[in-house]
Amino acid sequence: PTASARFHRIGSQRLYMHPIVTFSLTDQEYVNYSAAYRQTWSALTDTLPLNIHLLTFEQLGQKNYLVRVEHYFELFEDDTYSQPVTFDLQLIFKSLGVINSTVELTLGANLPLAELQRLEWLTGDKESSRMAVSKEASLEGTTIRLTPMQIRTFEVTVT
């Protein structure tokens, strides 16, 4: 029972979140096709920590990328993997170039997190609706810290 969450979380990630392989027909011979086109490629040059999942990797422009990562273990679910994790985006994505700008966005990626302003109102008990939300707007270079079950979204610009 103490390791059940580890087997469940890791197993479900491998079963349901595996890469999708696609194929298309071509009129070219394989020798010509393989000489003209790259057969394999990965933006990741290193592995992510086991409890971190790359949810989104989308190219927004020639040098801009949307990166969304999640820590998929719950707090107190596993002695090893339910801990906060710190990793460096630059080390993982060094095949793209040098990251010179990282802006944290809201989960929907439509607003910089630093500009997020929530509505406030008084409840029936005359208490404020304001919640204490931790905004990790400033990053230590390209180093990211994720707590259990946290999802963070970034716009990354490379040179």
Side-chain angles (χ1 to χ4, degrees):
T2 57
S4 62
R6 180 181 309 174
F7 292 119
H8 165 73
R9 296 279 186 192
I10 296 168
S12 64
Q13 282 291 331
R14 289 183 179 153
L15 183 63
Y16 297 113
M17 299 295 193
H18 62 279
I20 298 173
V21 179
T22 58
F23 301 93
S24 69
L25 296 175
T26 180
D27 294 330
Q28 294 180 334
E29 294 290 327
Y30 177 73
V31 174
N32 296 335
Y33 182 85
S34 63
Y37 300 102
R38 185 182 304 181
Q39 300 297 299
T40 60
W41 182 81
S42 176
L44 298 174
T45 53
D46 199 357
T47 58
L48 288 167
L50 188 62
N51 46 358
I52 300 300
H53 178 235
L54 178 63
L55 278 172
T56 305
F57 179 72
E58 181 179 342
Q59 189 168 9
L60 301 174
Q62 188 174 3
K63 297 287 185 176
N64 294 8
Y65 298 89
L66 181 69
V67 177
R68 188 175 288 121
V69 288
E70 74 170 329
H71 186 310
Y72 64 90
F73 274 80
E74 181 67 69
L75 192 62
F76 305 117
E77 195 172 53
D78 186 85
D79 291 339
T80 304
Y81 296 112
S82 291
Q83 305 301 319
V85 177
T86 302
F87 61 97
D88 191 349
L89 278 180
Q90 182 61 68
L91 294 177
I92 294 168
F93 292 111
K94 63 184 168 189
S95 68
L96 300 175
V98 177
I99 296 174
N100 63 4
S101 170
T102 305
V103 177
E104 185 164 9
L105 306 172
T106 58
L107 187 59
N110 59 341
L111 183 72
L113 189 60
E115 295 176 18
L116 177 65
Q117 295 179 355
R118 299 198 180 269
L119 294 175
E120 292 183 37
W121 64 90
L122 293 178
T123 66
D125 298 334
K126 303 292 185 210
E127 293 182 21
S128 174
S129 65
R130 181 177 205 137
M131 297 181 346
V133 178
S134 171
K135 289 186 183 180
E136 299 180 46
S138 63
L139 302 169
E140 291 293 325
T142 56
T143 302
I144 297 174
R145 183 174 189 267
L146 288 175
T147 58
M149 298 306 287
Q150 185 180 27
I151 301 173
R152 294 178 72 185
T153 305
F154 302 92
E155 182 176 347
V156 175
T157 305
V158 297
T159 55

